[in-house]
Amino acid sequence: MATTARFHSNVFRSSLKKGILGPLPECSSLILFFDLGSFKANLKAANSVFPPNFKHTLAAKANPTLSVLKIAGDHGVGVESASMGELLLGIKAVEGCTPAANVPTPVLLFDSPVKTRYEIEHAIKNGASVNCDNFEEFEVMADVVAQLGQTSLRPGQRLGIRVNPQTGGGTNEGWSTAVPWSKFGIGIDQREQLLSTYQQYPWLQMIHVHCGSQTLTLDNMTEGINTVVDFAQAVNKQVGSHQIDTIDIGGGLAVNFASDEVTPTFEDYAVALRKKVGILFEPNCPFTVLTEFGRALVAKSGWFASRVEATKKSGPRWIALQHL
Protein backbone atom coordinates (compact mmCIF):
# COMPACT_ATOMS: atom_id res chain seq x y z
CA MET A 1 0.00 0.00 0.00
CA ALA A 2 1.30 3.45 -0.96
CA THR A 3 0.46 6.82 0.49
CA THR A 4 -0.96 9.34 -2.00
CA ALA A 5 0.05 12.86 -2.98
CA ARG A 6 -3.20 14.15 -1.47
CA PHE A 7 -2.39 12.45 1.84
CA HIS A 8 1.12 13.94 1.73
CA SER A 9 -0.36 17.40 1.17
CA ASN A 10 -2.77 17.11 4.09
CA VAL A 11 -0.03 15.94 6.48
CA PHE A 12 2.29 18.68 5.25
CA ARG A 13 -0.32 21.38 5.81
CA SER A 14 -0.98 20.02 9.28
CA SER A 15 2.74 20.13 10.13
CA LEU A 16 2.87 23.77 9.04
CA LYS A 17 -0.21 24.65 11.07
CA LYS A 18 1.26 23.01 14.20
CA GLY A 19 4.62 24.72 13.72
CA ILE A 20 6.53 21.47 13.28
CA LEU A 21 7.86 22.61 9.91
CA GLY A 22 8.13 26.24 8.98
CA PRO A 23 10.16 29.43 8.52
CA LEU A 24 10.74 30.24 12.19
CA PRO A 25 14.08 29.33 13.85
CA GLU A 26 12.39 26.99 16.33
CA CYS A 27 10.76 25.02 13.51
CA SER A 28 12.42 22.04 11.85
CA SER A 29 13.98 22.62 8.44
CA LEU A 30 13.68 18.97 7.36
CA ILE A 31 11.24 16.24 8.34
CA LEU A 32 10.89 12.59 7.44
CA PHE A 33 7.27 11.49 7.50
CA PHE A 34 6.44 7.80 7.79
CA ASP A 35 2.88 6.51 7.43
CA LEU A 36 2.46 3.66 9.91
CA GLY A 37 -0.93 2.72 8.46
CA SER A 38 0.60 2.16 5.03
CA PHE A 39 3.55 0.29 6.54
CA LYS A 40 1.34 -2.05 8.56
CA ALA A 41 -0.77 -2.73 5.47
CA ASN A 42 2.41 -3.73 3.61
CA LEU A 43 3.41 -6.08 6.43
CA LYS A 44 -0.01 -7.70 6.33
CA ALA A 45 0.15 -7.99 2.54
CA ALA A 46 3.51 -9.79 2.68
CA ASN A 47 2.25 -12.16 5.37
CA SER A 48 -1.02 -12.92 3.57
CA VAL A 49 0.21 -14.04 0.13
CA PHE A 50 2.87 -16.54 1.21
CA PRO A 51 2.26 -19.89 2.97
CA PRO A 52 3.07 -20.43 6.67
CA ASN A 53 6.53 -21.88 6.00
CA PHE A 54 7.64 -18.40 4.86
CA LYS A 55 9.09 -16.11 7.53
CA HIS A 56 9.76 -12.52 6.55
CA THR A 57 12.37 -10.05 7.71
CA LEU A 58 12.77 -6.33 7.08
CA ALA A 59 16.18 -5.24 5.83
CA ALA A 60 17.24 -2.78 8.53
CA LYS A 61 19.07 -0.60 6.01
CA ALA A 62 15.71 0.31 4.46
CA ASN A 63 14.57 2.06 7.65
CA PRO A 64 16.97 1.71 10.61
CA THR A 65 14.49 3.09 13.14
CA LEU A 66 13.99 1.00 16.28
CA SER A 67 10.28 1.79 16.66
CA VAL A 68 9.62 0.83 13.03
CA LEU A 69 11.52 -2.46 13.41
CA LYS A 70 9.57 -3.24 16.60
CA ILE A 71 6.28 -2.69 14.76
CA ALA A 72 7.48 -5.13 12.10
CA GLY A 73 8.28 -7.61 14.86
CA ASP A 74 4.78 -7.21 16.28
CA HIS A 75 3.56 -8.49 12.90
CA GLY A 76 5.98 -11.44 12.94
CA VAL A 77 8.42 -9.76 10.55
CA GLY A 78 12.00 -9.93 11.84
CA VAL A 79 15.16 -7.99 11.04
CA GLU A 80 17.85 -8.62 8.44
CA SER A 81 21.09 -6.89 9.39
CA ALA A 82 24.08 -6.26 7.13
CA SER A 83 26.38 -4.48 9.58
CA MET A 84 27.23 -4.60 13.27
CA GLY A 85 25.19 -1.46 13.91
CA GLU A 86 22.16 -2.99 12.24
CA LEU A 87 22.68 -6.22 14.18
CA LEU A 88 22.65 -4.37 17.52
CA LEU A 89 19.50 -2.55 16.40
CA GLY A 90 17.93 -5.83 15.31
CA ILE A 91 18.67 -7.49 18.65
CA LYS A 92 16.87 -4.65 20.45
CA ALA A 93 13.94 -4.76 18.03
CA VAL A 94 13.39 -8.52 18.21
CA GLU A 95 13.75 -8.57 21.99
CA GLY A 96 11.52 -5.52 22.39
CA CYS A 97 8.61 -6.38 20.10
CA THR A 98 5.35 -7.86 21.39
CA PRO A 99 3.77 -10.15 18.77
CA ALA A 100 0.39 -11.66 19.54
CA ALA A 101 0.13 -15.31 20.54
CA ASN A 102 -0.85 -16.38 17.01
CA VAL A 103 1.98 -14.40 15.35
CA PRO A 104 5.28 -16.16 14.50
CA THR A 105 8.35 -15.25 16.52
CA PRO A 106 10.36 -12.79 14.39
CA VAL A 107 13.65 -13.98 12.91
CA LEU A 108 16.97 -12.14 13.32
CA LEU A 109 19.42 -12.46 10.42
CA PHE A 110 23.03 -11.34 10.12
CA ASP A 111 24.23 -11.14 6.50
CA SER A 112 27.11 -8.67 6.55
CA PRO A 113 29.48 -9.56 3.69
CA VAL A 114 32.50 -8.69 5.86
CA LYS A 115 32.35 -9.97 9.44
CA THR A 116 34.93 -9.99 12.22
CA ARG A 117 35.25 -12.93 14.56
CA TYR A 118 33.75 -10.83 17.35
CA GLU A 119 30.73 -9.96 15.20
CA ILE A 120 30.11 -13.61 14.27
CA GLU A 121 30.39 -14.69 17.89
CA HIS A 122 28.16 -11.84 19.11
CA ALA A 123 25.52 -12.66 16.50
CA ILE A 124 25.45 -16.36 17.38
CA LYS A 125 25.34 -15.68 21.12
CA ASN A 126 22.35 -13.37 20.61
CA GLY A 127 20.31 -15.83 18.56
CA ALA A 128 20.90 -14.46 15.08
CA SER A 129 20.92 -16.78 12.11
CA VAL A 130 24.16 -16.09 10.23
CA ASN A 131 25.08 -16.46 6.56
CA CYS A 132 28.78 -16.61 5.66
CA ASP A 133 30.00 -14.80 2.55
CA ASN A 134 33.12 -16.81 1.69
CA PHE A 135 35.15 -19.87 2.67
CA GLU A 136 37.68 -17.94 4.77
CA GLU A 137 34.89 -16.38 6.79
CA PHE A 138 33.30 -19.78 7.14
CA GLU A 139 36.49 -21.14 8.73
CA VAL A 140 36.17 -18.42 11.36
CA MET A 141 32.52 -19.29 11.98
CA ALA A 142 33.36 -23.00 12.24
CA ASP A 143 35.96 -22.17 14.87
CA VAL A 144 33.45 -20.05 16.79
CA VAL A 145 30.89 -22.88 16.71
CA ALA A 146 33.53 -25.33 17.93
CA GLN A 147 34.35 -22.98 20.79
CA LEU A 148 30.74 -22.26 21.79
CA GLY A 149 29.44 -25.77 21.13
CA GLN A 150 26.57 -26.67 18.81
CA THR A 151 24.23 -26.84 21.80
CA SER A 152 24.61 -23.06 22.14
CA LEU A 153 22.39 -22.59 19.08
CA ARG A 154 18.81 -21.68 19.93
CA PRO A 155 15.74 -23.45 18.48
CA GLY A 156 15.21 -22.17 14.95
CA GLN A 157 18.62 -20.47 14.81
CA ARG A 158 20.43 -21.45 11.63
CA LEU A 159 23.91 -21.03 10.14
CA GLY A 160 24.50 -21.03 6.40
CA ILE A 161 26.44 -19.86 3.37
CA ARG A 162 25.52 -17.26 0.76
CA VAL A 163 25.64 -18.78 -2.72
CA ASN A 164 25.74 -16.76 -5.93
CA PRO A 165 23.59 -18.60 -8.49
CA GLN A 166 25.42 -16.79 -11.33
CA THR A 167 22.18 -16.55 -13.32
CA GLY A 168 22.74 -13.07 -14.78
CA GLY A 169 22.39 -9.38 -14.10
CA GLY A 170 18.95 -8.24 -15.19
CA THR A 171 18.69 -4.77 -16.73
CA ASN A 172 21.67 -3.33 -14.81
CA GLU A 173 24.59 -5.64 -14.12
CA GLY A 174 26.12 -3.04 -11.81
CA TRP A 175 23.27 -3.57 -9.34
CA SER A 176 23.12 -7.33 -9.71
CA THR A 177 24.70 -9.75 -7.25
CA ALA A 178 24.07 -12.76 -9.48
CA VAL A 179 26.58 -12.06 -12.24
CA PRO A 180 29.44 -14.58 -12.40
CA TRP A 181 31.96 -11.99 -11.09
CA SER A 182 29.85 -10.64 -8.21
CA LYS A 183 31.79 -9.78 -5.04
CA PHE A 184 29.01 -11.26 -2.86
CA GLY A 185 28.72 -14.90 -1.84
CA ILE A 186 30.36 -18.03 -3.24
CA GLY A 187 29.72 -18.79 -6.90
CA ILE A 188 27.75 -21.91 -7.75
CA ASP A 189 30.67 -22.76 -10.05
CA GLN A 190 32.46 -23.84 -6.84
CA ARG A 191 29.78 -26.47 -6.38
CA GLU A 192 32.05 -29.35 -5.35
CA GLN A 193 33.73 -27.38 -2.56
CA LEU A 194 30.34 -26.18 -1.37
CA LEU A 195 29.01 -29.73 -1.33
CA SER A 196 32.05 -30.92 0.59
CA THR A 197 31.66 -28.13 3.16
CA TYR A 198 28.01 -28.93 3.83
CA GLN A 199 28.84 -32.62 4.07
CA GLN A 200 31.63 -31.97 6.57
CA TYR A 201 29.58 -29.69 8.84
CA PRO A 202 26.10 -31.08 9.63
CA TRP A 203 25.22 -27.93 11.61
CA LEU A 204 25.15 -26.01 8.31
CA GLN A 205 21.38 -26.10 7.88
CA MET A 206 20.72 -22.95 5.85
CA ILE A 207 21.58 -21.61 2.41
CA HIS A 208 21.23 -18.01 1.27
CA VAL A 209 20.73 -16.30 -2.09
CA HIS A 210 20.16 -12.65 -2.96
CA CYS A 211 20.29 -11.84 -6.67
CA GLY A 212 20.22 -8.04 -6.45
CA SER A 213 17.84 -5.14 -6.09
CA GLN A 214 15.59 -2.87 -8.12
CA THR A 215 16.72 -3.70 -11.68
CA LEU A 216 15.87 -7.41 -11.58
CA THR A 217 12.71 -8.81 -13.10
CA LEU A 218 10.69 -11.41 -11.25
CA ASP A 219 12.03 -13.97 -13.74
CA ASN A 220 15.63 -13.02 -12.83
CA MET A 221 14.92 -13.33 -9.13
CA THR A 222 13.07 -16.61 -9.27
CA GLU A 223 15.61 -18.21 -11.61
CA GLY A 224 18.38 -17.53 -9.10
CA ILE A 225 16.29 -18.88 -6.23
CA ASN A 226 15.46 -22.00 -8.21
CA THR A 227 19.17 -22.66 -8.81
CA VAL A 228 19.92 -22.51 -5.08
CA VAL A 229 16.90 -24.64 -4.13
CA ASP A 230 18.10 -27.29 -6.58
CA PHE A 231 21.53 -27.16 -4.94
CA ALA A 232 20.01 -27.51 -1.45
CA GLN A 233 18.17 -30.62 -2.58
CA ALA A 234 21.43 -31.99 -4.04
CA VAL A 235 23.17 -31.43 -0.70
CA ASN A 236 20.43 -33.24 1.21
CA LYS A 237 20.55 -36.13 -1.24
CA GLN A 238 24.32 -36.44 -0.94
CA VAL A 239 24.38 -36.38 2.87
CA GLY A 240 21.39 -38.70 3.09
CA SER A 241 19.36 -36.49 5.42
CA HIS A 242 17.29 -33.33 5.50
CA GLN A 243 20.28 -31.25 6.60
CA ILE A 244 19.42 -28.01 4.82
CA ASP A 245 15.98 -27.15 6.13
CA THR A 246 16.06 -23.35 5.71
CA ILE A 247 16.44 -21.34 2.53
CA ASP A 248 16.97 -17.59 2.79
CA ILE A 249 15.83 -16.21 -0.58
CA GLY A 250 16.87 -12.63 0.18
CA GLY A 251 14.99 -9.53 -0.89
CA GLY A 252 15.32 -7.42 -4.01
CA LEU A 253 11.65 -6.90 -4.86
CA ALA A 254 11.63 -3.74 -6.95
CA VAL A 255 9.67 -0.57 -6.22
CA ASN A 256 7.98 1.62 -8.82
CA PHE A 257 9.22 5.14 -8.07
CA ALA A 258 7.50 6.69 -11.11
CA SER A 259 4.02 6.85 -9.56
CA ASP A 260 1.93 5.92 -6.52
CA GLU A 261 1.10 2.56 -8.11
CA VAL A 262 2.52 -0.46 -6.27
CA THR A 263 4.10 -2.71 -8.87
CA PRO A 264 5.22 -5.42 -8.66
CA THR A 265 3.16 -6.44 -5.65
CA PHE A 266 3.93 -9.13 -3.10
CA GLU A 267 1.22 -11.18 -4.77
CA ASP A 268 2.94 -10.77 -8.16
CA TYR A 269 6.13 -12.08 -6.61
CA ALA A 270 4.40 -14.99 -4.90
CA VAL A 271 2.75 -16.02 -8.19
CA ALA A 272 6.05 -15.88 -10.08
CA LEU A 273 7.90 -17.76 -7.34
CA ARG A 274 5.23 -20.46 -7.13
CA LYS A 275 5.44 -20.92 -10.89
CA LYS A 276 9.24 -21.24 -10.91
CA VAL A 277 9.94 -22.93 -7.56
CA GLY A 278 6.70 -24.73 -6.75
CA ILE A 279 8.24 -26.91 -4.04
CA LEU A 280 8.41 -23.89 -1.70
CA PHE A 281 4.61 -23.64 -1.78
CA GLU A 282 3.73 -27.31 -1.37
CA PRO A 283 1.65 -28.14 1.75
CA ASN A 284 4.42 -30.37 3.08
CA CYS A 285 7.32 -28.22 1.89
CA PRO A 286 10.54 -29.48 3.51
CA PHE A 287 11.98 -25.98 3.80
CA THR A 288 11.44 -22.94 5.98
CA VAL A 289 11.80 -19.96 3.65
CA LEU A 290 13.19 -16.62 4.84
CA THR A 291 12.82 -13.33 2.98
CA GLU A 292 14.61 -10.00 3.37
CA PHE A 293 12.26 -7.38 1.94
CA GLY A 294 13.45 -3.79 2.24
CA ARG A 295 12.19 -0.94 0.11
CA ALA A 296 9.18 -3.01 -0.95
CA LEU A 297 7.91 -2.73 2.65
CA VAL A 298 8.83 0.87 3.42
CA ALA A 299 9.60 3.01 0.36
CA LYS A 300 6.06 4.10 -0.43
CA SER A 301 5.21 4.75 3.22
CA GLY A 302 7.74 7.53 3.75
CA TRP A 303 8.52 10.94 2.33
CA PHE A 304 10.54 14.05 3.15
CA ALA A 305 9.53 17.68 3.48
CA SER A 306 12.10 20.46 3.56
CA ARG A 307 12.12 24.18 4.04
CA VAL A 308 13.40 26.03 0.96
CA GLU A 309 16.10 28.43 2.13
CA ALA A 310 16.73 30.19 -1.16
CA THR A 311 16.32 30.00 -4.90
CA LYS A 312 18.76 30.76 -7.67
CA LYS A 313 18.88 30.72 -11.44
CA SER A 314 21.41 28.63 -13.34
CA GLY A 315 21.21 29.09 -17.09
CA PRO A 316 17.62 28.51 -18.15
CA ARG A 317 16.47 26.81 -14.93
CA TRP A 318 15.55 27.83 -11.42
CA ILE A 319 16.93 25.83 -8.50
CA ALA A 320 15.45 25.51 -5.03
CA LEU A 321 18.04 25.21 -2.25
CA GLN A 322 16.70 22.91 0.44
CA HIS A 323 17.91 20.42 3.05
CA LEU A 324 17.49 17.03 1.38
Side-chain angles (χ1 to χ4, degrees):
M1 176 181 175
T3 59
T4 64
R6 183 175 181 180
F7 180 77
H8 293 178
S9 178
N10 289 340
V11 172
F12 176 68
R13 290 175 185 276
S14 177
S15 71
L16 289 175
K17 185 177 181 180
K18 294 178 179 179
I20 299 172
L21 182 71
L24 300 178
E26 61 268 24
C27 297
S28 297
S29 58
L30 174 67
I31 293 180
L32 165 62
F33 295 98
F34 194 72
D35 179 7
L36 293 179
S38 167
F39 176 54
K40 291 176 182 178
N42 291 338
L43 295 171
K44 292 177 181 177
N47 283 330
S48 66
V49 299
F50 294 94
N53 61 306
F54 278 68
K55 295 184 177 182
H56 305 294
T57 66
L58 168 59
K61 67 176 71 65
N63 192 326
T65 307
L66 182 58
S67 57
V68 170
L69 298 177
K70 283 183 178 180
I71 290 171
D74 292 343
H75 288 74
V77 175
V79 178
E80 183 272 333
S81 53
S83 69
M84 188 59 177
E86 291 177 5
L87 174 64
L88 297 175
L89 194 62
I91 292 170
K92 289 182 179 179
V94 170
E95 290 179 349
C97 67
T98 54
N102 61 336
V103 175
T105 302
V107 172
L108 177 61
L109 282 170
F110 186 41
D111 288 336
S112 170
V114 184
K115 309 176 191 69
T116 66
R117 180 187 179 92
Y118 170 77
E119 290 170 348
I120 293 171
E121 185 173 339
H122 191 78
I124 292 175
K125 284 182 176 179
N126 283 275
S129 292
V130 182
N131 288 304
C132 279
D133 174 82
N134 54 77
F135 287 120
E136 287 187 29
E137 185 177 89
F138 174 74
E139 290 177 6
V140 176
M141 185 167 76
D143 192 54
V144 170
V145 173
Q147 176 186 323
L148 297 178
Q150 295 181 38
T151 56
S152 66
L153 296 178
R154 303 179 188 181
Q157 185 180 13
R158 293 290 182 265
L159 305 177
I161 294 175
R162 178 172 179 172
V163 174
N164 174 8
Q166 298 176 314
T167 47
T171 59
N172 186 336
E173 290 188 344
W175 283 26
S176 171
T177 55
V179 290
W181 55 87
S182 173
K183 62 183 178 181
F184 297 106
I186 299 172
I188 195 68
D189 58 355
Q190 299 181 64
R191 179 186 181 93
E192 293 308 314
Q193 188 174 355
L194 283 165
L195 279 169
S196 175
T197 302
Y198 273 94
Q199 190 170 22
Q200 185 178 351
Y201 296 93
W203 46 261
L204 269 178
Q205 295 182 277
M206 177 168 63
I207 193 165
H208 173 41
V209 58
H210 177 80
C211 293
S213 301
Q214 198 56 26
T215 61
L216 294 179
T217 66
L218 295 180
D219 283 343
N220 294 142
M221 293 172 63
T222 56
E223 182 181 359
I225 294 167
N226 188 54
T227 297
V228 170
V229 171
D230 283 347
F231 177 75
Q233 291 177 297
V235 169
N236 289 346
K237 182 178 180 180
Q238 177 162 314
V239 301
S241 67
H242 187 55
Q243 178 175 323
I244 297 180
D245 61 9
T246 301
I247 299 180
D248 178 356
I249 64 173
L253 186 61
V255 171
N256 167 35
F257 289 109
S259 72
D260 290 337
E261 181 185 6
V262 177
T263 179
T265 64
F266 291 113
E267 185 173 7
D268 293 334
Y269 183 32
V271 169
L273 191 59
R274 183 191 296 268
K275 182 178 179 181
K276 193 74 169 183
V277 202
I279 187 175
L280 301 183
F281 291 79
E282 292 177 358
N284 296 317
C285 176
F287 300 110
T288 294
V289 182
L290 307 181
T291 71
E292 303 173 0
F293 295 123
R295 70 189 80 193
L297 284 171
V298 302
K300 288 186 176 292
S301 298
W303 70 98
F304 286 98
S306 171
R307 185 168 66 215
V308 176
E309 297 293 352
T311 61
K312 66 180 181 181
K313 192 175 183 182
S314 180
R317 64 175 183 157
W318 282 95
I319 298 172
L321 302 174
Q322 39 79 28
H323 298 276
L324 291 178

